[in-house]
């Protein structure tokens, strides 16, 4: 069960990092958010979900 939880958290972190990269924020801001998500996988993901920059896919 721990293995499945780990895989899910890893996949969500990869998705969050990809989403952060696709924002219009500055590179410094992107780097800080990526470090937060990478160093604190669960807590960083939760903080990013509520307060972080969201991707701008296909928007104008």
């Amino acid at each position: 069960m721990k293995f499945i939880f780990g895989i899910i958290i890893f996949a969500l972190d990869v998705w969050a990092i990809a989403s952060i990269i696709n924002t219009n924020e500055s590179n410094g801001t992107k780097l800080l958010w990526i470090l937060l998500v990478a160093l604190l996988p669960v807590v960083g993901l939760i903080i990013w979900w509520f307060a972080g920059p969201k991707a701008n896919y296909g928007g104008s």
Side-chain angles (χ1 to χ4, degrees):
M1 190 66 177
K2 290 180 184 179
F3 178 74
I4 293 172
F5 182 70
I7 294 294
I8 291 169
I9 293 299
F10 177 75
L12 288 173
D13 283 347
V14 169
W15 170 70
I17 290 170
S19 183
I20 292 166
I21 290 171
N22 286 312
T23 64
N24 293 329
E25 298 293 327
S26 68
N27 288 338
T29 303
K30 288 180 186 182
L31 180 62
L32 289 176
W33 278 106
I34 290 170
L35 286 174
L36 178 70
V37 171
L39 295 176
L40 302 170
V42 176
V43 176
L45 184 65
I46 293 168
I47 293 170
W48 169 78
W49 181 259
F50 289 108
K54 302 301 185 273
N56 188 13
Y57 296 115
S60 55

